[in-house]
Amino acid sequence: MSRSRFRGAVAAAVVAGLALLLIVVATAGDVYAPLGTADPGPWVTFGFAIVRFTAVAAGAGCAGGLAFAAFVAPGRRDGKLTAESFAAVRFAAGSAACWLAAAIAAVPLSTAAASGLPLGTLLGNGALLSTIGATEEPKAWLCVVAVAAVVTALTWPAMAWRTTVLALAVSLAGLLAPVVIGHASVGAGHDFATGALVWHVPAASVWLGALFAFLAHLRRGAPDELVLRRYHRLSRICFVVVLISGAVGGLMTARPDGLMSRYGLLLAVEVVLLAAAGAILAAARGVAPRRVAVVELLLLMLAAGGSVGLTVLVPPSFVNDPATVQGTILGYELPDPPSWLRFLTDWRPDLIIGTIAVLACVLYVLGVRRLRRRGDAWSTGRTVAWLLGWLIVLIATSSGLGTYSPGTFSLHMVTHMGLNMYGPVLLVLGGPVTLALRALPARSGVPGAREWLVDLLHAPVTRFLAHPAVAAILFAGSFYALYFSDLFGQAMLFHWSHELMRLHFLITGYLFAWVVVGTDRTPRRIPHLARLGVLFAVMPFHAFFGVIVMSKQTVIAATYYHYLALPWAGDLLADQRLGGGIAWASGEIPLVVVVVALLVQWSRDDERRAKRTDRTGEADFDAYNAMLAQLAERGR
């Protein structure tokens, strides 16, 4: 295939995806009346669809190009970008600039679509800023503008692998902003739908963007065997994630009774396109990579057009299953009071943290098995600690306790303690980084997963977060900043912010426990006495927090709990005092465990140091005797 035909095939794939989107929009009918808004006119409807398609394609090109540069193209031992990585980063930089332009255009268009006002009217009467403040989607696009601007600034001068990974992480956050406040975040079951899309959108974007970068790699010459192998591995992982998460999210938004609607039929077309792309990936061996990649691109661009079309259509769940107040906020109902039986039986999986917990356990067990198959030992206690830690996290987020925790402050505080203190203490005792460094193969040439992990552990941001003062402030200060301001009440109103709060609890708790008592070595070597001092410095702040909560005369997040209006919740202030008592009392147990573990580690380190000293002393004594023997022999 010549270069001109190659470019024409890529352009045709993009046009095909856009054409499918325009057909969906043209045949959708009135999509505003079911939402209770007026029709802003065809310029807004079609314009916003085209701009959103451009943003989806450009955002995917940015994220996928960065993923290709960081984890597919061959790297260098010194952390600098190779020629292939640099070319992918430059492609990502251009995509980020297009993404920024599309996001800027999406702000007024999304405002007009949400308010039902024609774009000229919205801009002419100066109501744009006030309307943005009253709607959620324009705010999300403003976040995309900020993210795209940051990624553009990072990628244009990027010459290092760490910068590429940082830009990739930021870009993935920007991709999620319009998704978590879209149609999937509305109505009953939106916790499942939002959780599924949090996995679906980044995986689909990386798949599509990495394909663009792979095609550019093929255009420059024959494919490198390492690049080909890594790209297929990345694409197949993305395919599995996209297919499973898309099916879950689609079932939540379409519902069984809406599968024969226009929304359900378009969703079925999406599944067929993605399944066909996955089948091509599975049969890619032995076929010309360029031709396979072009067909794969055509299917994925059609799928991208269909996915944007789904955002235009009204989900059947919104029309056929109107949500109550509890369903709107939580995604489900809590009509009955909590009980021990419901804690054990009313499981509602958290598709974000729960999935992370299961994957972390599976990968850990696979690492242990690899070590033992080659004859290396691994502590059973570490394995048990890791699995128990994730079990606590799973119970706190996905069991009946996690289901009921948004209903009352006291139950929320129980899950907070599990995520922030009990789970992390056990997780850091599992030594996952040490296991990964021992289980992953070391490469002498092109860096691989083990070298990437070592590089991230020694990155400046990791060294900053691993500083004892920073870890302590993030751990203890989060309590005061979250609960003694409006942040907690606002975070509980939206599923995405609730999940972000849970992740914050888990990450800050793990970071603090890692610095104080972690089995894995931190970037900063901290004496045991200093660790003990950090622990004792933080303990009073935790106790004071519980006392302050028990003493407060006003209800924290009162508006949120009044919105829920649970008939069994009872006195909110009394329940809040119970929550403060739980925070004060239950927080002491993991701190005692940390102290004991720290003292045991201290004792073992002293024993190892003493043995090393003894061995060194014996060697010095033997050398001294040998020197005397030589002198005596020389004298004779």
Side-chain angles (χ1 to χ4, degrees):
M1 182 184 292
S2 64
R3 179 171 296 186
S4 59
R5 292 180 62 187
F6 180 73
R7 291 178 177 176
V10 173
V14 176
V15 171
L18 182 59
L20 176 60
L21 169 62
L22 294 178
I23 292 172
V24 172
V25 175
T27 59
D30 188 1
V31 296
Y32 297 99
L35 302 177
T37 58
D39 189 342
W43 286 104
V44 171
T45 303
F46 283 89
F48 187 33
I50 295 172
V51 166
R52 186 155 194 161
F53 178 83
T54 305
V56 166
C62 176
L66 293 170
F68 187 92
F71 304 116
V72 176
R76 287 172 46 173
R77 304 291 297 185
D78 59 359
K80 301 297 183 181
L81 296 179
T82 61
E84 284 297 328
S85 297
F86 182 74
V89 169
R90 298 305 292 175
F91 168 75
S95 299
C98 295
W99 189 22
L100 174 61
I104 293 174
V107 173
L109 289 170
S110 62
T111 307
S115 61
L117 297 174
L119 189 59
T121 303
L122 189 66
L123 298 176
N125 59 15
L128 180 61
L129 293 179
S130 60
T131 309
I132 289 176
T135 52
E136 297 300 325
E137 189 168 7
K139 297 176 186 175
W141 284 108
L142 285 175
C143 293
V144 177
V145 170
V147 167
V150 171
V151 174
T152 304
L154 285 173
T155 50
W156 279 110
M159 295 294 293
W161 183 83
R162 290 175 181 172
T163 306
T164 304
V165 174
L166 175 61
L168 172 61
V170 176
S171 66
L172 293 178
L175 291 172
L176 292 174
V179 175
V180 296
I181 53 84
H183 289 164
S185 65
V186 179
H190 72 261
D191 54 330
F192 284 148
T194 303
L197 287 182
V198 165
W199 291 102
H200 182 83
V201 171
S205 300
V206 168
W207 185 7
L208 177 58
L211 177 56
F212 275 119
F214 181 61
L215 285 167
H217 170 75
L218 294 178
R219 190 186 66 181
R220 289 188 290 271
D224 182 89
E225 182 63 28
L226 177 64
V227 172
L228 195 62
R229 185 172 66 253
R230 285 182 172 180
Y231 168 74
H232 283 152
R233 184 185 299 123
L234 176 65
S235 298
R236 286 163 184 162
I237 292 173
C238 290
F239 165 69
V240 173
V241 175
V242 166
L243 199 63
I244 295 175
S245 60
V248 173
L251 287 176
M252 288 296 103
T253 52
R255 304 295 174 84
D257 56 350
L259 292 178
M260 299 307 298
S261 64
R262 184 182 284 106
Y263 189 97
L265 293 177
L266 183 57
L267 187 64
V269 171
E270 282 278 288
V271 173
V272 171
L273 291 171
L274 293 173
I280 288 177
L281 275 175
R285 294 182 178 180
V287 185
R290 183 173 295 186
R291 296 183 183 276
V292 171
V294 169
V295 177
E296 184 183 348
L297 178 64
L298 175 62
L299 294 172
L300 290 185
M301 289 307 302
L302 287 171
S307 66
V308 177
L310 289 174
T311 66
V312 176
L313 301 177
V314 179
S317 61
F318 186 84
V319 179
N320 302 334
D321 189 14
T324 62
V325 174
Q326 293 179 29
T328 300
I329 296 176
L330 303 179
Y332 53 90
E333 303 290 328
L334 289 176
D336 302 315
S339 63
W340 288 107
L341 179 61
R342 292 192 176 96
F343 288 161
L344 294 174
T345 58
D346 288 356
W347 281 70
R348 191 175 183 88
D350 185 320
L351 295 185
I352 300 175
I353 300 179
T355 304
I356 293 174
V358 173
L359 290 176
C361 292
V362 171
L363 292 176
Y364 192 97
V365 171
L366 291 177
V368 173
R369 188 179 69 171
R370 173 178 288 187
L371 285 184
R372 292 183 174 173
R373 278 185 172 180
R374 71 186 189 202
D376 295 338
W378 183 257
S379 170
T380 303
R382 291 186 180 184
T383 304
V384 171
W386 180 259
L387 297 179
L388 282 180
W390 282 116
L391 178 62
I392 291 175
V393 171
L394 200 62
I395 291 174
T397 55
S398 300
S399 70
L401 175 62
T403 302
Y404 273 87
S405 64
T408 62
F409 186 83
S410 58
L411 292 177
H412 165 81
M413 194 54 63
V414 173
T415 61
H416 181 165
M417 292 296 104
L419 290 172
N420 195 234
M421 302 193 75
Y422 286 87
V425 169
L426 291 171
L427 292 178
V428 299
L429 294 177
V433 177
T434 303
L435 174 63
L437 293 177
R438 291 182 59 185
L440 292 172
R443 300 181 182 273
S444 57
V446 178
R450 189 180 188 276
E451 290 72 25
W452 296 334
L453 178 59
V454 172
D455 201 355
L456 291 177
L457 286 174
H458 292 87
V461 64
T462 309
R463 291 181 58 82
F464 173 76
L465 294 174
H467 193 285
V470 175
I473 291 173
L474 289 174
F475 176 73
S478 298
F479 289 81
Y480 296 86
L482 179 66
Y483 294 105
F484 298 151
S485 68
D486 294 334
L487 285 177
F488 176 67
Q490 293 297 319
M492 296 296 289
L493 289 172
F494 305 98
H495 181 71
W496 67 267
S497 53
H498 188 196
E499 286 296 303
L500 191 61
M501 180 175 61
R502 284 179 167 180
L503 286 172
H504 174 79
F505 291 156
L506 183 60
I507 293 172
T508 55
Y510 186 95
L511 182 64
F512 179 75
W514 179 38
V515 170
V516 175
V517 74
T519 302
D520 298 321
R521 178 177 296 182
T522 61
R524 299 174 180 270
R525 295 295 296 167
I526 306 170
H528 290 89
L529 185 59
R531 297 184 185 187
L532 194 61
V534 171
L535 181 62
F536 285 141
V538 168
M539 289 175 65
F541 288 96
H542 184 270
F544 291 156
F545 167 78
V547 172
I548 294 173
V549 171
M550 287 189 289
S551 305
K552 281 184 70 69
Q553 300 301 314
T554 57
V555 176
I556 299 173
T559 302
Y560 162 74
Y561 288 115
H562 281 113
Y563 279 163
L564 286 182
L566 297 175
W568 48 264
D571 187 351
L572 295 179
L573 192 57
D575 181 77
Q576 179 176 294
R577 290 168 180 162
L578 175 60
I582 291 172
W584 175 74
S586 63
E588 303 305 319
I589 299 175
L591 291 177
V592 171
V593 173
V594 170
V595 171
V596 173
L598 180 59
L599 294 177
V600 170
Q601 291 177 357
W602 195 348
S603 175
R604 289 178 178 176
D605 285 348
D606 286 345
E607 290 178 2
R608 286 193 291 266
R609 190 177 297 110
K611 290 179 180 179
R612 275 198 307 270
T613 303
D614 291 342
R615 287 196 299 267
T616 304
E618 290 176 0
D620 291 343
F621 186 71
D622 292 340
Y624 179 72
N625 287 335
M627 181 189 69
L628 292 179
Q630 290 178 358
L631 291 174
E633 182 66 26
R634 189 177 305 169
R636 284 195 296 270

